[in-house]
Amino acid sequence: EALNLTTSCHMPDVGGEQIMLRIGVHSGPVVSTVVGNPQTNPRYCLFGDTVNIASRMESSSEPGRIQCSEHTAALLAVTELWNRVRKRPGRQEIKGKGLMKTHWVLSDVDLDVERLQKRFIDRLHPRSSHASMDFLTV
């Protein structure tokens, strides 16, 4: 939903450019606590490697995309979001973690583009409706 909202958000003070988000997701255990002065400046914080990997997923993602770890993709595979997960080709260099398999979680806009690309390929090659779309970038 956040990505879908950015398609209609523009920054007038920067020449009307569209806002582009990078989103990263990882799943796993975390530790939480409230830090700071509880009366004047309480802050809820999460700690752990899960938080660090989620941050790395975001920083190594692309504008307008949602990147998730292989672990999160496996968890999404058994939810209603299973049809939105696509393997990212190859392995990505994740700072502090090395090479990792990552996946894209498609937004509504990505799914619309993917459907259009599939229809285009089906019209070009009607007999091979299962033609690979690996060469197309969503």
Side-chain angles (χ1 to χ4, degrees), residues 4-102:
N4 292 339
L5 284 173
T6 62
T7 60
S8 61
C9 294
H10 298 273
M11 300 178 352
D13 52 330
V14 193
E17 285 189 40
Q18 181 181 341
I19 295 173
M20 298 297 287
L21 295 180
R22 285 187 321 222
I23 299 175
V25 183
H26 179 64
S27 305
V30 295
V31 175
S32 66
T33 189
V34 176
V35 297
N37 185 323
Q39 273 67 41
T40 60
N41 191 21
R43 292 174 295 168
Y44 185 76
C45 291
L46 294 175
F47 300 95
D49 199 42
T50 300
V51 178
N52 295 333
I53 294 173
S55 174
R56 300 300 186 203
M57 289 292 110
E58 178 272 326
S59 62
S60 65
S61 186
E62 296 174 359
R65 302 298 301 266
I66 303 169
Q67 179 176 233
C68 72
S69 65
E70 188 168 28
H71 182 70
T72 298
L75 294 173
L76 291 174
V78 296
T79 71
E80 67 278 358
L81 297 175
W82 67 269
N83 63 334
R84 291 179 177 262
V85 178
R86 303 292 183 274
K87 219 177 250 187
R88 190 169 178 188
R91 293 177 183 257
Q92 305 308 308
E93 179 65 38
I94 305 299
K95 184 178 173 187
K97 294 291 164 191
L99 294 174
M100 290 180 69
K101 289 182 185 176
T102 64

Side-chain angles (χ1 to χ4, degrees), residues 107-124:
S107 67
D108 290 342
V109 172
D110 291 334
L111 284 174
D112 291 344
V113 169
E114 190 175 80
R115 283 186 204 109
L116 287 172
Q117 289 174 336
K118 183 173 179 351
R119 281 201 329 223
F120 179 74
I121 288 173
D122 287 347
R123 285 186 182 174
L124 286 177

